[in-house]
Amino acid sequence: FEWADVNGSGKIARENLQQVWPEIQRIGKDVGPLDDEQWNLLDDDGNGAINFSEFAEFTTLKKIELPLGLDDLFDGSNSGALKCGVFDCDCICFRELRRKCKYGSECYQKNEDHRSSFSHPGDEDWTALVGPGGREMCRCGHKKKLHASGASGAAAVPYPDYWSHASKGGSSSSSAAAGPGAPDPTAEFLELIPCADEIMVQLQLLVDTTYSDVTTRDRQRHSGSWMVPRGFEVQAAFRNENSKLWRKYCVRKAELLKEKMEMRENPDAAWQVHRDVKTTEIWEAYGGRLDSEINEWYLWHGTSNSAAENICK
């Protein structure tokens, strides 16, 4: 994505994507020319440019084996499963490159911490030292940030541990470790899960606390009356376990986290945090799952039942 994003704007124009398209065709499956049909498939929101989330979804759809490259921003990512992304490097597992012990073969230290922190003659990485070593360098000679998870599809991101599909997440297991007949961890999934009674009680409290019985201009047009209900009763609630939508959310969240970190390094940039969203304040009292530092909020969205189902899909 960064190869095509020549000006670092976070968006790719069609002419810039065309320059790297031959490489995408080479590593993908049945990827045709970048014609109008292909471009419209990429440009999901139709704004004339491709963002990272749209690019990531396209590579998943076309089985283009490119890692997301955002593992350091996902909680629970497993650095031991990170593959090197440098061309022609055969490293498939990040392993910290230890510094050489300055005493070499004459080292008398038997301390386990010392032995695990420094390499000695006879160790496999004694002769493989490239650069200064340390936590951010792999034994293949390339930095950790050049490594990324090789997981794809549904396994590319971690899932909430309270999801019924949580075991399919990339951070919990690898397909290589799965036995014969085990479910494919990269398979996409979409299921509406009925919420537990405890959540129903919490949702009812949220409705009661945040509902405002103020009428709006469109009420008379839709219902023929200015009258509004005094309240609502929660009849049913479902949790949308959708691997594709969750992956899009994770990618966007990771982009915001990255943007915030970059802004910290710029003294002229100011990241404004808003903490006065009533729905979020109430729901977070049950246990925080959002990152308020990047302005994640819970918000009500009123729509028809059919429209809500289409959104979930």
Side-chain angles (χ1 to χ4, degrees), residues 1-6 11-25 34-35 38-40 42-43 49-51 54-55 58-59:
F1 181 84
E2 291 180 352
W3 285 350
D5 182 18
V6 293
K11 296 181 179 180
I12 302 176
R14 183 169 177 172
E15 57 268 24
N16 292 330
L17 184 61
Q18 185 67 64
Q19 297 178 19
V20 300
W21 197 253
E23 183 64 15
I24 293 175
Q25 289 180 294
L34 187 56
D35 52 18
Q38 205 81 266
W39 176 257
N40 291 333
L42 272 155
D43 188 14
I50 306 302
N51 60 35
E54 291 171 329
F55 183 78
F58 179 82
T59 58

Side-chain angles (χ1 to χ4, degrees), residues 56-57 59-64 66-68 71 74-75 149-160 163-175 183-191 241-251:
E57 277 308 304
T59 58
T60 299
L61 177 66
K62 294 297 184 178
K63 302 187 182 302
I64 300 170
L66 291 173
L68 282 177
D71 304 275
F74 289 146
D75 294 333
S149 170
S152 60
V157 296
Y159 294 92
W163 275 27
S164 60
H165 293 84
S167 61
K168 291 190 177 184
S171 63
S172 60
S173 62
S174 65
S175 58
D184 181 4
T186 68
E188 304 288 0
F189 55 86
L190 192 170
E191 186 175 0
E241 297 194 5
N242 184 320
S243 58
K244 180 178 179 180
L245 292 184
W246 184 261
R247 184 168 58 248
K248 283 187 173 182
Y249 159 72
C250 286
V251 168

Side-chain angles (χ1 to χ4, degrees), residues 95-103 107 109-121 123 125-126 129 131-137 139:
R95 293 183 298 165
E96 181 184 320
L97 178 59
R98 299 177 296 176
R99 292 183 174 87
K100 283 187 177 182
C101 173
K102 63 181 180 180
Y103 299 105
C107 177
Q109 282 277 4
K110 303 297 182 183
N111 184 282
E112 185 175 339
D113 288 340
H114 173 81
R115 286 285 172 178
S116 62
S117 300
F118 297 90
S119 63
H120 297 79
D123 292 338
D125 55 335
W126 173 253
L129 182 59
R135 294 182 180 273
E136 298 303 313
M137 184 68 71
R139 297 183 188 183

